[in-house]
Amino acid sequence: MMRGMLRFVSRNIWFQLAVAVVIGMAVSYAIVPGSPGVPKHQSKEGILDLTQDSMGKNPQKLQGEWEFYWQELLSPEDIRNRMAAGEQVDRYINIPGSWLGYKLEEQELEGQGFATFRLAIQLNEQDRNERLALRLPTIFHAYKLWVNGELLAEVGEVGQDKHGMTPRLATKLVFFQPEGDTVELVMQVANFHHNRGGITKDIELGGSNVLTVKTHLKIASDMFITASLLVIGVYHLLLYILRRKDRAPLYFGLFTVMFGIRSLLNGELMLTQWLPRFPWELQFKIEYLILCLGGWIITMYFECIFPDVVSRWFRHGSRIVTGILCVVIVVTPAILYSRMLLLIGVIVVLHMVYLMVGLAAAAMRRMEGALIFLLVSVVALVTVINDFLYYNEWSRIGNTSPFGLLVFTIAQMMLLSSRFTRAATNEERIARELQEANTKLTEMNANLEQLVLERTHALSAAHEDLRMSYERLLHSEQGRKKLLAYITHDLRMPLSSMLGYVEAVMDRVKPERNEQYLMYIRDNTVRINRMIGELSFLSHLETGQVEYRMEPVPVVHFLRGFYEQYELVVRDAGLDFNLVIGNTENHGPGLPVVEMDTQRLDQALFNLVSNAMKFTSSGGVVRLALTVDKVQDTRCAIISVQDSGTGIPPEQLEQIFDRNYRVDRPGMDMGVEGSGLGLAICREIVQAHGGTVRAESDGKTGSIFYVSLPLYFSSRKVTE
């Protein structure tokens, strides 16, 4: 009895599988109509006779034999001149169809080249007085079209070699008024970038109103499919972002978004209509990459929905093959990877067939959604196979995969929605039970939690206050120690000197020099007072206790004010003081701007000017200049202070900004006053402004100090 029940269940499952496959095939055949068959009118030897039929309401596909001029780009006038000279046409080619494989002088043509096509259409009396239209598909890969000698359409740039042509894909609808009982079509086509070239799709001729409505309906259909795929894909990607445990929405969203983008690159080519200058090579790479990645992504999605159905070897093999194909597409031109379209199609179909076998196994295990998945997979498989046949010119049925993918996507969306609904219901039930269980605990611990929370907040606030107090104390202690060390080190020598002078006065060693000793004591007292102030200020700078009031200031205005303030001081010292702004003041509202504390930067620059005055003899020159240049990829205002003094030995340039460092060179006047702190203070101030300071000198003819400050860019763009 048990064995009989198992047989019944097995037969029932196989019956359901068979029904699913039959229904899927029926739906796919409804989406993919039968072959269009042989058209009513076909051209013979370049002439299409439509005198017995009207095109006003029944557009005609221009199929049949067209005149074919290989490796020639002829205009209508060139063809008329040949006919007038009695030259006979002896080559015809069936359109639609690529010239790839066309036999010419016992040799088959390749896909690269250029040619001219011509077709003469004989109209009936009714069509001669109507406004007609031509619906032009994508033609590989650049063309010009003349109608009755008038150039009506041009896509890309036609040329006789790869460098002379520009490929582009676009659909067009052109209108014209017949001038007689015959319409002459002349088309130049060139292809040097793809495996196939020529007119591979149907050109339609009919009434302008009928073809306009037909084109608009096709655009609306493509937009509906694209928008549906993109919206569904983005929705599932957002679902994955909100709940990352389940990767099924991620792969399904990626798959749907990718093929939504691909639908923009097929049919009416909406992408090129919106972005006419979109790169042709990038367009093809995107389309081929989506085809290659589609099989692998749907495999990963299938594994998430039905775990343990996809074998490990198939998963790894799919990843390796897909990766190799993607690399080839990315690094090679279209002329190479377009030849792999059939191989890509076979790999995609193998993915789908393998998944359908896995779906049959999942259905036999009674896994939820397997039958629906199998049914829509049959629909998608048939439409995808038809598309690959169509693009290889083995099928006359147009692009159908968007419809099949839309059916597949809607079914998968319903499946995922069911999974999410069930998961959400379970989570709500569990959450409700947990909430009820936790309510009692919450009530019991409410008072304790409130007390702990208050104490925790109080402790946190106290801890933060202690931490900030400790940091301030530590900062102050570091500054105090540094200042004490500076005073101990730097004031010992002048104090010792003063003590000696005082003892000399008290002991009346040389009474006649007492006045001179007192002057020394006074000068050293002034020097010590100034040194203490500089040491204190430098200590505050180094420990970060100096506050800066930064604001955007035009550097030119700042330097002019600085120059006017100290010009008399420098000139009273017997030196010439020059200011060189250069062309930086000719920028109008776009003067270079630096964010600075003008008082502190004024102090830093005066230290440099004062240093130049000390080491420059009377009659020398101090030069203040401004330039704008890049310093380590950053636009900077560079202020330079140049003197004509004794210079600095090159080996000491890296040490002059150290505290208390004095330039040491043979024969140098050691009576030059200074604490050795000015350059150290200057460096600290400039670094606080985000800049740098450096010096240059050959040790003989003066020195130059450069202060580089990064430019400040406000809402108004600073132009250089």
Side-chain angles (χ1 to χ4, degrees):
M1 182 176 178
M2 182 63 68
R3 189 173 298 175
M5 290 179 63
L6 291 175
R7 288 179 180 175
F8 174 76
V9 172
S10 178
R11 290 175 183 175
N12 189 26
I13 293 175
W14 282 110
F15 175 75
Q16 292 178 1
L17 290 175
V19 170
V21 173
V22 170
I23 294 176
M25 295 294 290
V27 173
S28 63
Y29 277 113
I31 294 175
V32 183
S35 176
V38 180
K40 184 177 180 181
H41 300 283
Q42 283 194 333
S43 57
K44 300 291 184 182
E45 296 184 352
I47 299 175
L48 179 61
D49 186 1
L50 298 179
T51 56
Q52 304 302 320
D53 202 352
S54 174
M55 296 178 298
K57 297 183 179 180
N58 299 308
Q60 299 291 329
K61 294 181 179 179
L62 305 183
Q63 298 182 357
E65 295 179 344
W66 290 44
E67 295 179 14
F68 183 55
Y69 302 88
W70 177 244
Q71 298 295 75
E72 294 183 281
L73 297 178
L74 304 177
S75 66
E77 184 178 356
D78 296 332
I79 296 177
R80 284 195 293 271
N81 292 337
R82 289 191 178 190
M83 290 181 175
E87 184 175 338
Q88 299 295 324
V89 180
D90 58 354
R91 294 175 186 164
Y92 301 94
I93 189 171
N94 284 318
I95 300 298
S98 171
W99 62 56
L100 177 65
Y102 179 83
K103 287 190 176 182
L104 182 65
E105 297 178 357
E106 303 302 326
Q107 291 185 351
E108 293 186 354
L109 299 181
E110 295 184 353
Q112 295 77 50
F114 56 92
T116 303
F117 301 84
R118 179 181 178 274
L119 177 67
I121 306 171
Q122 298 176 352
L123 306 178
N124 62 15
E125 294 183 1
Q126 182 180 355
D127 293 333
R128 297 172 192 172
N129 301 319
E130 290 193 11
R131 190 165 182 259
L132 302 181
L134 281 169
R135 189 166 179 266
L136 301 170
T138 55
I139 297 175
F140 287 6
H141 272 102
Y143 69 89
K144 287 184 178 180
L145 172 67
W146 286 268
V147 178
N148 291 332
E150 181 182 358
L151 181 63
L152 291 187
E154 183 174 3
V155 175
E157 184 176 347
V158 178
Q160 298 184 3
D161 53 36
K162 184 176 182 179
H163 303 288
M165 73 158 291
T166 303
R168 185 168 174 258
L169 289 178
T171 59
K172 280 187 173 290
L173 186 65
V174 297
F175 304 93
F176 65 94
Q177 186 71 38
E179 299 177 353
D181 58 355
T182 302
V183 174
E184 180 191 44
L185 304 182
V186 176
M187 182 176 289
Q188 296 177 356
V189 180
N191 171 61
F192 291 96
H193 296 76
H194 196 270
N195 185 42
R196 293 183 298 135
I199 308 172
T200 60
K201 300 178 182 178
D202 289 318
I203 300 175
E204 290 188 75
L205 174 65
S208 59
N209 293 334
V210 175
L211 283 184
T212 299
V213 172
K214 186 175 181 180
T215 301
H216 289 170
L217 288 176
K218 186 66 172 64
I219 292 175
S221 173
D222 287 355
M223 291 182 65
F224 170 76
I225 293 174
T226 300
S228 300
L229 292 174
L230 291 178
V231 168
I232 293 172
V234 172
Y235 170 75
H236 284 85
L237 289 177
L238 292 176
L239 283 181
Y240 172 73
I241 292 175
L242 296 176
R243 187 174 183 271
R244 297 174 180 266
K245 279 189 175 183
D246 187 6
R247 291 193 176 186
L250 170 64
Y251 293 119
F252 181 69
L254 289 175
F255 178 82
T256 309
V257 168
M258 284 169 47
F259 279 90
I261 295 173
R262 182 179 178 272
S263 64
L264 294 174
L265 307 174
N266 288 289
E268 294 299 315
L269 275 78
M270 301 304 300
L271 183 65
T272 55
Q273 293 190 26
W274 297 336
L275 303 172
R277 297 186 180 276
F278 193 82
W280 175 88
E281 182 74 28
L282 181 59
Q283 175 182 345
F284 258 84
K285 286 186 182 294
I286 292 174
E287 181 179 358
Y288 275 71
L289 285 173
I290 290 175
L291 286 176
C292 291
L293 291 171
W296 176 74
I297 291 179
I298 203 63
T299 301
M300 301 303 294
Y301 167 70
F302 177 79
E303 185 178 10
C304 293
I305 297 294
F306 304 108
D308 302 326
V309 173
V310 179
S311 64
R312 180 179 299 179
W313 67 266
F314 182 81
R315 182 171 62 252
H316 293 323
S318 171
R319 185 179 304 169
I320 293 173
V321 172
T322 300
I324 293 174
L325 289 177
C326 289
V327 170
V328 172
I329 292 171
V330 169
V331 302
T332 61
I335 192 69
L336 295 179
Y337 65 76
S338 60
R339 298 177 181 177
M340 300 190 306
L341 182 60
L342 181 60
L343 174 62
I344 295 173
V346 170
I347 292 174
V348 173
V349 170
L350 286 177
H351 273 89
M352 299 187 69
V353 170
Y354 181 84
L355 294 181
M356 290 177 65
V357 174
L359 284 172
M364 293 185 66
R365 299 180 192 175
R366 294 186 175 275
M367 299 179 72
E368 181 188 3
L371 283 175
I372 297 177
F373 205 146
L374 179 61
L375 187 148
V376 296
S377 296
V378 172
V379 176
L381 177 62
V382 172
T383 56
V384 169
I385 291 175
N386 173 76
D387 269 17
F388 279 108
L389 295 177
Y390 173 70
Y391 285 112
N392 283 282
E393 301 183 39
W394 295 337
S395 172
R396 305 306 313 154
I397 304 172
N399 188 31
T400 58
S401 62
F403 291 98
L405 290 173
L406 182 61
V407 173
F408 179 82
T409 301
I410 293 175
Q412 298 308 312
M413 182 181 64
M414 295 172 61
L415 177 61
L416 289 178
S417 299
S418 174
R419 287 164 54 93
F420 267 96
T421 302
R422 188 166 53 257
T425 302
N426 292 334
E427 288 179 359
E428 289 177 358
R429 177 179 56 80
I430 295 172
R432 184 169 57 253
E433 293 175 355
L434 289 174
Q435 182 66 29
E436 293 174 356
N438 290 332
T439 300
K440 296 180 180 180
L441 292 175
T442 302
E443 293 175 353
M444 293 173 59
N445 296 327
N447 295 331
L448 179 60
E449 288 180 356
Q450 183 64 28
L451 182 60
V452 171
L453 184 61
E454 292 175 357
R455 295 292 177 85
T456 302
H457 282 313
L459 289 174
S460 298
H463 174 73
E464 184 65 21
D465 291 341
L466 287 174
R467 186 185 63 82
M468 295 179 63
S469 299
Y470 174 75
E471 288 182 355
R472 287 195 296 268
L473 181 61
L474 183 62
H475 217 56
S476 300
E477 180 65 16
Q478 290 176 349
R480 186 189 66 80
K481 288 181 178 180
K482 284 190 175 182
L483 180 59
L484 182 61
Y486 293 161
I487 292 175
T488 303
H489 177 273
D490 297 333
L491 302 185
R492 180 176 298 165
M493 183 177 294
L495 286 175
S496 299
S497 177
M498 290 172 61
L499 180 60
Y501 293 144
V502 171
E503 290 177 349
V505 172
M506 293 178 63
D507 295 341
R508 299 182 179 272
V509 176
K510 291 183 179 181
E512 69 277 6
R513 300 188 64 179
N514 284 349
E515 184 176 352
Q516 184 179 1
Y517 291 157
L518 291 175
M519 289 182 63
Y520 286 158
I521 294 172
R522 186 199 64 179
D523 292 342
N524 276 339
T525 303
V526 172
R527 180 186 175 196
I528 289 172
N529 186 45
R530 183 173 64 252
M531 186 180 298
I532 290 173
E534 290 179 347
L535 282 171
S536 177
F537 183 66
L538 180 59
S539 176
H540 283 82
L541 284 175
E542 293 176 343
T543 56
Q545 299 181 45
V546 176
E547 293 185 1
Y548 290 86
R549 297 181 179 179
M550 310 295 282
E551 59 181 352
V553 177
V555 188
V556 174
H557 297 166
F558 169 75
L559 283 184
R560 285 194 177 280
F562 179 86
Y563 175 77
E564 292 172 359
Q565 180 179 359
Y566 296 108
E567 181 182 11
L568 292 178
V569 176
V570 179
R571 295 190 183 277
D572 287 346
L575 303 176
D576 193 8
F577 194 29
N578 297 329
L579 175 64
V580 180
I581 300 299
N583 61 356
T584 56
E585 62 180 347
N586 299 325
H587 291 284
L591 289 175
V593 175
V594 170
E595 191 174 23
M596 67 173 74
D597 184 328
T598 54
Q599 181 180 357
R600 300 300 182 196
L601 197 59
D602 184 287
Q603 179 181 0
L605 287 182
F606 181 72
N607 284 351
L608 295 179
V609 173
S610 176
N611 188 73
M613 294 168 58
K614 292 175 185 176
F615 295 97
T616 304
S617 303
S618 179
V621 179
V622 177
R623 180 175 177 269
L624 182 66
L626 171 65
T627 59
V628 176
D629 202 351
K630 279 190 175 182
V631 178
Q632 296 181 352
D633 299 330
T634 302
R635 298 286 287 177
C636 291
I638 302 176
I639 303 172
S640 61
V641 178
Q642 182 177 5
D643 61 67
S644 58
T646 58
I648 304 171
E651 64 274 8
Q652 300 182 36
L653 289 175
E654 295 183 359
Q655 307 172 37
I656 60 175
F657 293 99
D658 295 339
R659 187 180 63 84
N660 292 331
Y661 187 81
R662 301 284 299 275
V663 175
D664 183 16
R665 60 185 302 170
M668 181 176 178
D669 183 9
M670 298 305 296
V672 177
E673 295 184 358
S675 62
L677 300 175
L679 294 182
I681 292 174
C682 176
R683 179 178 63 181
E684 293 293 334
I685 293 176
V686 171
Q687 289 179 351
H689 284 73
T692 59
V693 59
R694 62 185 179 87
E696 289 183 0
S697 178
D698 58 2
K700 300 176 182 179
T701 58
S703 57
I704 307 176
F705 288 80
Y706 295 96
V707 175
S708 301
L709 300 171
L711 291 182
Y712 172 80
F713 293 91
S714 61
S715 58
R716 180 182 66 187
K717 183 178 180 182
V718 179
T719 58
E720 295 300 329

